[in-house]
Amino acid sequence: MQLTGDRFTQESAVFGNDLVTLPNFPAEIRAPQGTIPGVSSFQVHFADHDILTAGDRPDVLVAMNPAALKANLGDLPRGATIIVDTHDFTKRNLDKAGYASNPLDKLGEVDDILAGFQVQPVDLTGITVEAVKEFGLSRKDAARAKNMFALGLLSWMYGRPTEPTVEFLTKKFGKKPDILGANLAAFKAGWNYGETTETFVVQYEIKPAKMAAGTYRNITGNLALSYGLVAAGVRADLPVFLGSYPITPASDILHELSRHKAFGVTTLQAEDEIAGIGAAIGASFAGQLAVTTTSGPGIALKGEAIGLAVMTELPLLIVNVQRGGPSTGLPTKTEQSDLLQAMYGRNGEAPVPIVAPQSPGDCFAAAVEAARIAITYRTPVMLLSDGYLANGSEPWAIPDVEDLPVIDANFATGPNHVSAKAAKDGASEPDEFWPYLRDEATLARPWAVPGTAGLEHRIGGLEKGEGHGNISYDPANHDRMVRIRAEKIARIADSLPPLEVDDPSGEAKVLVIGWGSTYGPIGAACRRVRRAGYNVAQVHLRHLNPFPKDLGDILKSYDKVLVPEMNLGQLSRLLRAEYLVDAIGYNHVYGLPLKAAELAEAIGDLVGTAEGTDVHLGEHGLDTPAADHEANPAEARK
Amino acid sequence: MPAPGLRSGTELVPGVAEGVTQTGKDFSSDQEVRWCPGCGDYAVLKAVQSFLPDLGLRRENIVFVSGIGCSSRFPYYLDTYGMHSIHGRAPSIATGLATAREDLSVWVVTGDGDALSIGGNHLIHALRRNVNITILLFNNRIYGLTKGQYSPTSEVGKVTKSTPAGSVDHPFNPVSLALGAEASFVARTIDSDRKHLTGVLAAAAAHRGTSLVEIYQNCPIFNDGAFDAIKDRETAQHAVIPLVHGSPITFGARDEATGLGDKALVRAASGGVEVVDTASVDAEDILVHDAHEPDPSTAFAISRLTDAGYLNRSPIGIFRQVQRPTYDDQARAQVAEARTGVTGTPAERLTALISSGDTWTVD
């Protein structure tokens, strides 16, 4: 099912639609088929204009079995089309899904649970098996081609170009002519089925979206993040070193980077999470752009080593592709609940900068930005992606490499301090190396790599004496060093651009602020509120530590501040602590992205309170009409 | 030196310029050494400081990495690059360093708690990978820095602050463990035997791959006398089983005529080895030590002769010294191979990479 969704997405991307996808699958490799927990789904939302979410309520559901129908029916708006594979609506499968009777037998009757939907029962399996008969496959293999039949049918319904899929299949199954033939036959049969049967009276037409000029590709967050790491290595002119231990949903970054040795990328699959970051710290000491990738449970294990990187002030990228927690939690579902872990999850005063991408494509730029901060300020940096960004995809305007920031490793090459002895002799030329003597502006310490003669030095986890870096247990020195490390991280804010506040009317009283992957749903929800005729402002944070310098003033210029998050209020806690602002949380932890219409209602309520009026979003909120499309934002401004 | 035809552990590390001589003093940092008076660590530090110049390597290309514990203060006292890291993790950091840079001589200093308890996982995986690093495992059979709890090499029944009724933990034999993890170089030496220690260090540094050197080291405060049996002049000849590659393994009172000790190792019926009176066996039946034997079974059998309880007898020397490909050499070779024949600037290649796949252009 994931492959079918992926192919449909590629077809739509090539066609030029804007799109957002939401793959959703169980953590088990072979989850029990036919059961509700075993349902694997792929939701794709595409449009002829700029969209921000995978949509709250799909127009079309293809349900391959009763469990898939039951698991997704609640999301569908009345009037939606449901295509079901009647072949798999067997007694056994109905039992497994918990249906007492076959809902397809009740169509049109009083107890029809599918009343109000356009139900299209098709024997997908039967027709597919028939269509691929000539290839002599086993019945099981033949039936597996039904996904391609469904893809062909949907491709016809939405007028998708078929060439990319034909090309893809030819490449994938080139060495297995019978499998290739069967898949192509099933794909074509699906298309033809749509065209020749009179069942599907509506053929949807979605024109290409008007997007900014540029070359685009469809990209997932994990792929964009991997490319961003390669790009950071190129722009810093440093070899990239990844020390990592496989974990869902971050493993794809390890897989991807392993393919780019030609860029000088070394990947080490370590024996555990701690060794992954340990090797990365070693590579950083050696002068490479060091990275470790993981998810929340891995960060928990890496905590002590992150503290070591804070103390030794070595550049290091720590990627956390967040998933549902606590503990093993929901490995394949998304959540934003590791923000406070990123912020505070270490012993001692151990500040770590935090950067969060807002969309799959944005993972590229966020990785480059994290590398810039790590190398410039000699610090570990936490890059907080999440499961939705990792596996979701969107069209991505491929950037011009020359526009990416140049990152200067600025290795130390010689002595930086006049020794006491030399000073006594009246010398002013530095004759010794102090590893903790800092850059005046950034407070960054020198990065002196082994192999550099004359700069031999020892670093470690024990407290450092200011400047010379030798072990120091002096109380006053410790107080000073703790403050210097905090100040160094705080000064990163000097290098951040002002926030972009989206407040079209300039009259909004309510500000909605978020971070990370909620950018899409928050943006879509704000558009709904505006289309209903109300004012609301939106700002989205990429930097969570330190916060941008203008954030405090922005927060104070609105009457109400709403903070939607996929956790129980972690950013709102930070904002309250930092700015004494009455940040109001909007919190969901379903393991799924926030739903725009629901969020719009919450924003609407707050706008009502702020403005002292009754707010009714009507069809822009939960009084949703049959279709649930994100309207063109351009129309909202008319 | 490595055996003839084998690659040296330091062959890619730049040496000092011709005419330059280094002394132990060049490798001594200005930091005050702060171990307890009488600690065995002093002897090892002195030995390492005077041995390092013999390597003929540039000081700036030598890195010492340590974990946590008394011995892990070691890097502060050497004027090389160094990192005093976190408990048990030094092998992982050294693995990253050694993989990233072929031009570094990377050393790990660790103790029995650091390497075998909290860091056991990293130790066995470093040995399995055969990363080109040298691990000095200071074994004093006690936790010193935390003030005297039993360690994973303490004997059963050890009475300490945390085991007032005696420890019921069965100890590790570090050499057996290393051999089981398929280490390519495993040796054991003693802090107080400067000559033997230096000889083992030289062989370990010359070995390309992970070298594990267990150093019996006395803790005068919390476990004084743990190694008395093998250090005492009277008892040592009966307690130390010297392992010398190519020589028959004997110990005990030496026969001046044959040069053999009065005890010898022979094959046991079980397949292992056993100690017999030299006089009771034919000379050709005495086991000749072969550190280069690819099959580690005999080395393992010899390692089992070490007492698990109070130490009365232990083999000392190089148990195993074989060459197999190192992780870091192979990882670098894969990167180098991927880079051969690559054309275009990095920026051009990056552009090509991010533009790969299905793309479309909007005007």
Side-chain angles (χ1 to χ4, degrees):
Chain A
M1 195 40 73
Q2 299 301 317
L3 176 70
T4 311
D6 198 49
R7 291 321 307 160
F8 190 86
T9 302
Q10 286 298 341
E11 291 176 356
S12 299
V14 168
F15 186 65
N17 291 137
D18 194 12
L19 58 88
V20 180
T21 66
L22 173 62
N24 192 6
F25 43 87
E28 295 78 13
I29 302 301
R30 294 277 179 267
Q33 228 182 357
T35 65
I36 302 275
V39 172
S40 166
S41 70
F42 191 102
Q43 186 173 328
V44 54
H45 183 196
F46 54 102
D48 65 354
H49 56 267
D50 151 38
I51 53 171
L52 296 166
T53 71
D56 296 353
R57 285 184 280 275
D59 290 318
V60 178
L61 170 71
V62 181
M64 290 299 193
N65 57 34
L69 177 69
K70 191 163 200 177
N72 293 286
L73 190 60
D75 290 336
L76 302 184
R78 292 286 144 179
T81 299
I82 302 173
I83 301 169
V84 292
D85 181 7
T86 55
H87 182 271
D88 279 355
F89 275 64
T90 58
K91 169 86 173 67
R92 192 177 140 78
N93 282 343
L94 288 161
D95 284 349
K96 275 200 260 183
Y99 279 121
S101 60
N102 189 346
L104 300 180
D105 293 344
K106 306 273 175 87
L107 295 180
E109 293 178 16
V110 274
D111 51 351
D112 179 6
I113 60 163
L114 302 177
F117 298 104
Q118 308 290 321
V119 183
Q120 305 285 356
V122 182
D123 182 4
L124 284 172
T125 305
I127 302 174
T128 304
V129 168
E130 191 62 27
V132 305
K133 209 161 64 181
E134 58 174 300
F135 298 98
L137 301 180
S138 68
R139 190 178 160 83
K140 199 175 156 203
D141 278 346
R144 284 174 67 179
K146 72 180 174 186
N147 284 338
M148 284 301 122
F149 183 93
L151 179 61
L153 177 56
L154 289 170
S155 299
W156 171 81
M157 281 175 71
Y158 288 96
R160 306 287 91 182
T162 55
E163 297 81 11
T165 292
V166 172
E167 227 170 82
F168 169 84
L169 291 172
T170 309
K171 216 162 141 189
K172 186 174 166 81
F173 298 118
K175 288 182 185 147
K176 298 172 184 165
D178 48 341
I179 303 276
L180 170 64
N183 276 288
L184 286 177
F187 180 61
K188 280 175 194 157
W191 176 284
N192 294 339
Y193 183 85
E195 193 155 82
T196 52
T197 60
E198 290 180 3
T199 335
F200 296 90
V201 285
V202 186
Q203 196 188 2
Y204 298 84
E205 188 191 351
I206 313 287
K207 294 194 181 72
K210 283 192 194 69
M211 296 164 89
T215 301
Y216 288 79
R217 63 177 286 169
N218 189 51
I219 199 159
T220 64
N222 272 349
L223 184 58
L225 203 152
S226 306
Y227 284 176
L229 295 173
V230 173
V234 168
R235 296 304 275 178
D237 195 19
L238 292 178
V240 173
F241 183 102
L242 173 67
S244 181
Y245 187 77
I247 183 170
T248 302
S251 303
D252 280 340
I253 303 171
L254 167 63
H255 305 160
E256 184 62 30
L257 284 178
S258 303
R259 301 174 61 219
H260 298 299
K261 295 182 172 59
F263 282 94
V265 176
T266 301
T267 53
L268 186 149
Q269 182 177 312
E271 59 270 24
D272 61 25
E273 294 282 358
I274 299 170
I277 187 170
I281 289 173
S284 175
F285 189 46
Q288 302 197 341
L289 173 52
V291 187
T292 189
T293 51
T294 187
S295 188
I299 297 291
L301 286 163
K302 293 180 199 289
E304 189 188 16
I306 298 172
L308 176 66
V310 168
M311 199 64 154
T312 53
E313 303 190 38
L314 287 170
L316 176 67
L317 294 190
I318 304 150
V319 180
N320 177 358
V321 185
Q322 300 166 93
R323 65 190 216 186
S327 188
T328 311
L330 299 170
T332 59
K333 310 295 178 191
T334 199
E335 211 162 275
Q336 297 182 294
S337 45
D338 298 346
L339 175 58
L340 294 182
Q341 180 196 39
M343 195 73 192
Y344 300 119
R346 290 163 296 285
N347 61 304
E349 294 286 349
V352 168
I354 304 169
V355 175
Q358 65 183 28
S359 71
D362 188 46
C363 289
F364 179 88
V368 177
E369 169 66 354
R372 177 192 73 84
I373 293 173
I375 292 172
T376 308
Y377 294 87
R378 318 303 198 203
T379 176
V381 174
M382 191 81 73
L383 184 56
L384 284 184
S385 179
D386 67 35
Y388 170 54
L389 295 176
N391 293 316
S393 66
E394 66 172 353
W396 176 56
I398 300 166
D400 188 335
V401 169
E402 296 305 322
D403 292 342
L404 302 175
V406 175
I407 303 169
D408 185 2
N410 193 22
F411 290 127
T413 53
N416 59 354
H417 184 258
V418 183
S419 66
K421 188 171 166 291
K424 220 170 81 185
D425 298 344
S428 58
E429 276 298 298
D431 63 329
E432 66 179 4
F433 179 65
W434 276 23
Y436 278 76
L437 209 55
R438 295 168 189 282
D439 179 276
E440 278 181 23
T442 60
L443 296 182
R445 77 171 190 92
W447 193 6
V449 303
T452 318
L455 308 192
E456 295 83 6
H457 65 282
R458 277 66 54 194
I459 57 176
L462 285 171
E463 182 59 283
K464 304 281 163 289
E466 188 181 356
H468 54 73
N470 292 321
I471 300 172
S472 169
Y473 298 121
D474 173 45
N477 175 78
H478 176 57
D479 182 81
R480 205 155 53 239
M481 290 298 281
V482 166
R483 291 173 197 280
I484 289 172
R485 284 188 289 266
E487 173 65 13
K488 180 179 83 164
I489 302 308
R491 285 199 193 176
I492 294 168
D494 293 343
S495 71
L496 305 182
L499 285 166
E500 285 174 30
V501 183
D502 179 26
D503 184 0
S505 67
E507 291 170 9
K509 288 189 161 55
V510 171
L511 174 73
V512 187
I513 180 167
W515 66 282
S517 77
T518 51
Y519 173 75
I522 295 174
C526 287
R527 288 175 183 181
R528 283 170 177 266
V529 172
R530 289 172 196 152
R531 277 201 302 278
Y534 304 96
N535 296 321
V536 63
Q538 183 195 359
V539 71
H540 208 73
L541 296 176
R542 148 162 298 189
H543 297 96
L544 294 135
N545 191 34
F547 285 131
K549 288 187 149 179
D550 52 351
L551 179 58
D553 287 342
I554 292 169
L555 291 171
K556 290 186 174 82
S557 61
Y558 291 89
D559 292 357
K560 299 276 179 197
V561 175
L562 184 70
V563 192
E565 293 180 88
M566 295 187 289
N567 58 44
L568 294 187
Q570 301 196 4
L571 174 62
S572 51
R573 215 168 267 252
L574 294 178
L575 294 177
R576 282 169 169 263
E578 185 73 21
Y579 300 108
L580 296 176
V581 62
D582 181 24
I584 301 165
Y586 175 87
N587 307 96
H588 281 295
V589 281
Y590 292 118
L592 289 165
L594 302 178
K595 289 183 185 283
E598 288 176 18
L599 176 55
E601 292 285 358
I603 297 170
D605 289 348
L606 198 59
V607 169
T609 313
E611 306 202 349
T613 55
D614 282 343
V615 167
H616 297 289
L617 299 184
E619 61 168 20
H620 302 294
L622 287 171
D623 300 344
T624 312
D628 168 51
H629 303 130
E630 271 181 40
N632 190 336
E635 285 167 21
R637 290 189 203 108
K638 276 175 196 166
Chain B
M1 291 302 103
L6 298 186
R7 295 187 64 190
S8 161
T10 56
E11 68 178 32
L12 301 174
V13 184
V16 291
E18 211 163 312
V20 173
T21 48
Q22 296 175 324
T23 66
K25 202 161 172 291
D26 293 321
F27 285 92
S28 309
S29 78
D30 59 359
Q31 296 298 293
E32 184 194 350
V33 184
R34 290 187 184 172
W35 288 309
C36 304
C39 178
D41 290 356
Y42 283 99
V44 184
L45 175 64
K46 205 77 199 148
V48 169
Q49 282 169 339
S50 20
F51 153 76
L52 283 174
D54 298 344
L55 286 175
L57 304 176
R58 289 173 183 265
R59 223 158 30 103
E60 63 268 25
N61 288 78
I62 298 175
V63 188
F64 275 79
V65 184
S66 64
I68 294 293
C70 294
S71 60
S72 287
R73 296 297 179 93
F74 208 89
Y76 289 116
Y77 308 136
L78 291 171
D79 201 4
T80 62
Y81 281 88
M83 191 191 294
H84 176 212
S85 74
I86 43 177
H87 210 4
R89 318 303 171 195
S92 70
I93 291 165
T95 296
L97 257 164
T99 305
R101 296 275 299 274
E102 64 186 12
D103 62 333
L104 301 179
S105 173
V106 180
W107 297 68
V108 168
V109 178
T110 182
D112 42 317
D114 194 56
L116 300 170
S117 199
I118 195 168
N121 199 30
H122 308 304
L123 180 74
I124 58 174
H125 287 278
L127 295 170
R128 150 181 91 79
R129 286 195 187 98
N130 201 31
V131 188
N132 189 28
I133 58 177
T134 301
I135 302 174
L136 308 183
L137 196 172
F138 293 39
N139 182 8
N140 57 17
R141 309 186 75 187
I142 200 78
Y143 282 172
L145 196 66
T146 50
K147 299 188 175 47
Q149 301 83 1
Y150 74 101
S151 92
T153 56
S154 297
E155 62 272 21
V156 173
K158 186 92 178 164
V159 174
T160 71
K161 282 176 193 162
S162 60
T163 50
S167 159
V168 294
D169 269 11
H170 184 79
F172 267 143
N173 175 328
V175 170
S176 299
L177 180 81
L179 290 167
E182 304 194 26
S184 57
F185 182 104
V186 187
R188 176 185 288 145
T189 183
I190 311 169
D191 58 359
S192 54
D193 186 344
R194 176 82 164 267
K195 188 158 166 267
H196 190 267
L197 173 61
T198 306
V200 167
L201 289 179
H207 177 72
R208 195 161 192 83
T210 305
S211 309
L212 180 89
V213 180
E214 181 191 8
I215 304 171
Y216 282 157
Q217 174 252 324
N218 191 49
C219 172
I221 308 296
F222 297 109
N223 204 19
D224 196 25
F227 306 102
D228 275 0
I230 59 168
K231 290 185 175 191
D232 183 87
R233 275 179 198 283
E234 289 294 301
T235 54
Q237 66 172 345
H238 302 289
V240 171
I241 306 176
L243 301 176
V244 180
H245 178 70
S247 299
I249 309 173
T250 69
F251 62 104
R254 222 165 92 106
D255 179 323
E256 290 303 328
T258 60
L260 302 178
D262 65 355
K263 296 272 189 266
L265 295 198
V266 295
R267 292 267 172 213
S270 65
V273 298
E274 62 186 345
V275 176
V276 295
D277 288 333
T278 307
S280 70
V281 292
D282 292 340
E284 57 266 30
D285 288 339
I286 298 174
L287 197 63
V288 174
H289 184 49
D290 183 3
H292 304 159
E293 165 60 47
D295 181 343
S297 309
T298 304
F300 185 82
I302 293 171
S303 78
R304 303 313 296 162
L305 297 173
T306 313
D307 296 311
Y310 182 80
L311 206 60
N312 290 304
R313 177 185 285 167
S314 181
I316 301 289
I318 299 170
F319 288 74
R320 178 172 163 83
Q321 183 180 20
V322 298
Q323 191 158 55
R324 64 181 170 91
T326 72
Y327 175 89
D328 49 314
D329 281 332
Q330 294 178 97
R332 283 189 298 265
Q334 284 190 348
V335 170
E337 195 193 334
R339 289 170 80 90
T340 16
V342 164
T343 54
T345 65
E348 285 164 357
R349 290 188 290 118
L350 177 60
T351 302
L353 173 68
I354 62 180
S355 312
S356 59
D358 295 331
T359 64
W360 68 98
T361 300
V362 176
D363 297 320

